């Protein structure tokens, strides 16, 4: 839906737009009362890229563009990426909304060297200066506050997903995972969990992994070593995700803290699994407990406890009634609480408040 002409928000992210950030495009597309201009400093060729995205050389070009055609509000994703934008926003006197996503208020503050020094100075400055700091989970709200955001400026606003139709497909694998193949997402843990579950069940546990990243080789190697049947599909267009999500009996996402201290801020793929009425097994790490309701839409294991996660997998694979009950509960929860249209309407309400001159947002 195209919003009526009027108020305009410049939504900025340095790289526009990686294939893993479907949620970013979904959110901008769901705006109905604010016109959106997407800006960045580097075009990423992906299924999410559009000709209408405005790619500029850097902050000086951004300053020129916003001076000539000033937006009513600037919304930057990741506090680290707002460091370069903040001087422009201050000079032009524009309201600023910043969404934190996890890395910017966890890992970035531990980076070594000049890069880390810049983050440790710049992130708190951004968070103190923003008119509103959006956190997609209460976990991230706490991290934003610890990093310097005043409590009165923080608003917890989950992003949500476009709720797709259910895909009529009989599962052909036991476990499914969709996401980036990086240590934080726990792909190797997934394979080891499948191997332990197979031993308990006395049969192979099949795994399908959708995605790509630097941990791909380690996942393949672990599957070969443990004799886990693995279908590693790689990247797929966003429109293919619902059907692939429906191809698994249980979604397993074992996100965990990585070596730099980053944790899962929420986990959009848990909602995508629930939308296809698939129960979830996950670690209770970061904001995952806000995306997955333990005992209702899935089962949570203590972070890093592969044996407990494997027991959850065994329980769900062995109990079709439980899988159905949790899957249906997840679908209902997504429809009621995480529909992208409703979630984005709340974001636009925040835009209205900030643009009207409220320096801080309470609530």
């Amino acid at each position: 839906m195209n919003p009526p002409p009027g108020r305009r928000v410049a939504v900025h992210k340095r790289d526009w737009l990686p294939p893993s950030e479907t949620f970013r495009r979904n959110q901008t597309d769901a705006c109905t009362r604010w016109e959106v201009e997407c800006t960045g400093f580097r075009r990423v060729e992906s299924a999410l890229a559009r000709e209408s995205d405005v790619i500029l050389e850097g902050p000086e070009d951004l300053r020129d563009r916003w001076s000539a055609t000033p937006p009513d509000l600037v919304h930057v994703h990741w506090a680290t990426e707002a460091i370069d934008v903040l001087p422009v926003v201050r000079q032009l006197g524009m309201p600023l909304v910043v969404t934190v996503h996890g890395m910017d208020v966890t890992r970035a503050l531990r980076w070594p060297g000049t890069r880390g020094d810049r983050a440790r100075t710049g992130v708190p400055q951004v968070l103190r200066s923003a008119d509103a700091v959006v956190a997609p989970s209460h976990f991230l709200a706490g991290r934003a506050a610890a990093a310097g955001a005043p409590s009165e400026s923080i608003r917890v606003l989950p992003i949500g997903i476009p709720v797709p139709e259910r895909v009529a497909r009989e599962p052909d694998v036991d476990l499914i995972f969709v996401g980036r193949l990086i240590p934080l997402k726990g792909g190797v843990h997934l394979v080891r969990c499948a191997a332990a579950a197979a031993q308990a069940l006395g049969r192979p546990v099949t795994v399908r992994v959708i995605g790509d990243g630097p941990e791909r080789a380690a996942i393949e190697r672990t599957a070969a070593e443990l004799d886990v049947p693995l279908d590693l599909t790689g990247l797929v267009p966003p429109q293919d995700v619902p059907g692939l999500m429906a191809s698994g009996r249980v979604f397993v996402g074992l996100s965990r803290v990585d070596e730099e201290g980053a944790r899962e801020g929420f986990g959009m793929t848990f909602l995508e699994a629930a939308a296809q009425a698939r129960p979830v097994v996950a670690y209770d790490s970061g904001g995952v407990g806000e995306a997955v309701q333990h005992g209702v839409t899935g089962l949570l294991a203590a972070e890093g406890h592969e044996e407990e996660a494997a027991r959850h997998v065994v329980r769900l694979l062995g109990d079709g009634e439980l899988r159905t009950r949790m899957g249906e509960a997840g679908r209902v929860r997504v429809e009621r609480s995480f529909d992208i249209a409703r979630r984005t309407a709340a974001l636009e309400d925040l835009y209205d408040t900030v643009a009207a001159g409220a320096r801080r947002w309470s609530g």
Side-chain angles (χ1 to χ4, degrees):
M1 180 184 298
N2 293 322
R7 290 165 299 180
R8 185 166 61 91
V9 55
V11 177
H12 181 83
K13 185 180 181 299
R14 182 183 58 237
D15 297 337
W16 202 275
L17 192 60
S20 61
E21 295 182 15
T22 306
F23 63 93
R24 188 87 52 251
R25 183 64 78 187
N26 289 340
Q27 186 180 71
T28 58
D29 284 350
C31 287
T32 60
R33 294 186 286 108
W34 281 72
E35 294 181 76
V36 178
E37 178 181 83
C38 300
T39 66
F41 296 147
R42 186 172 75 92
R43 185 180 301 278
V44 178
E45 295 303 328
S46 75
L48 302 178
R50 293 180 184 169
E51 288 300 319
S52 58
D53 299 336
V54 178
I55 307 302
L56 302 161
E57 292 295 324
E60 289 302 320
D61 286 344
L62 196 62
R63 187 195 317 271
D64 292 343
R65 183 175 184 84
W66 287 349
S67 295
T69 56
D72 297 283
L73 183 144
V74 174
H75 182 182
V76 182
H77 288 277
W78 276 275
T80 45
E81 300 201 6
I83 294 172
D84 287 333
V85 176
L86 182 60
V88 179
V89 170
R90 280 179 164 175
Q91 180 181 343
L92 299 178
M94 294 174 173
L96 175 65
V97 173
V98 175
T99 295
V100 298
H101 291 281
M103 174 278 291
D104 47 350
V105 288
T106 55
R107 178 192 303 159
L109 303 179
R110 301 184 184 187
W111 284 335
T114 303
R115 186 183 181 210
D117 291 341
R118 185 171 185 269
R120 284 184 287 275
T121 300
V123 166
Q125 188 176 42
V126 162
L127 297 176
R128 288 193 300 266
S129 299
D131 295 277
V133 175
V134 175
S137 67
H138 288 88
F139 165 74
L140 285 175
R143 290 304 175 98
S151 59
E152 66 269 20
S153 73
I154 301 172
R155 182 72 190 273
V156 177
L157 291 176
I159 295 174
I161 62 171
V163 182
E165 295 294 326
R166 297 197 203 194
V167 176
R169 176 174 180 174
E170 284 298 317
D172 58 12
V173 295
D174 293 312
L175 310 183
I176 186 80
F177 171 76
V178 179
R180 290 176 294 155
L181 306 188
I182 58 176
L184 182 145
K185 300 294 183 178
V188 171
H189 283 233
L190 163 61
V191 174
R192 293 200 295 251
C193 174
Q199 185 173 17
L201 290 168
R203 68 165 180 85
V205 171
T206 54
V207 177
R208 176 168 292 137
V209 171
I210 313 299
D212 207 350
E215 206 174 43
R216 177 176 184 137
I219 292 170
E220 292 176 317
R221 182 172 59 254
T222 304
E225 291 171 351
L226 298 178
D227 199 25
V228 172
L230 174 66
D231 173 18
L232 210 164
T233 303
L235 293 175
V236 300
Q239 62 268 23
D240 292 350
V241 169
L244 287 166
M245 195 70 80
S247 74
R249 294 176 180 85
V250 178
F251 181 88
V252 180
L254 301 180
S255 296
R256 60 189 182 87
V257 63
D258 69 13
E259 61 183 12
E260 293 183 319
R263 294 182 185 271
E264 188 76 74
F266 182 83
M268 303 301 293
T269 54
F270 299 118
L271 300 184
E272 293 172 333
Q276 293 304 322
R278 294 301 182 256
V280 172
V281 171
Y283 287 151
D284 190 5
S285 176
V288 174
E290 298 177 54
V292 181
Q293 287 184 305
H294 178 64
V296 180
T297 67
L299 297 170
L300 298 175
E303 183 175 345
H305 285 237
E306 295 172 10
E307 297 84 359
E308 185 181 2
R311 289 196 295 272
H312 291 336
V313 166
V314 170
R315 182 182 174 193
L316 284 167
L317 290 180
D319 190 337
E321 182 180 345
L322 180 63
R323 287 201 309 272
T324 299
R325 183 168 71 248
M326 287 188 168
E328 291 298 325
R331 172 74 188 194
V332 169
R333 185 169 183 248
V334 167
E335 291 174 337
R336 290 179 177 175
S337 301
F338 294 102
D339 185 316
I340 189 73
R342 295 179 183 178
R343 301 294 353 139
T344 305
L347 176 66
E348 289 186 291
D349 288 344
L350 178 60
Y351 287 171
D352 292 341
T353 299
V354 171
R359 179 60 187 166
R360 298 295 183 198
W361 176 272
S362 300

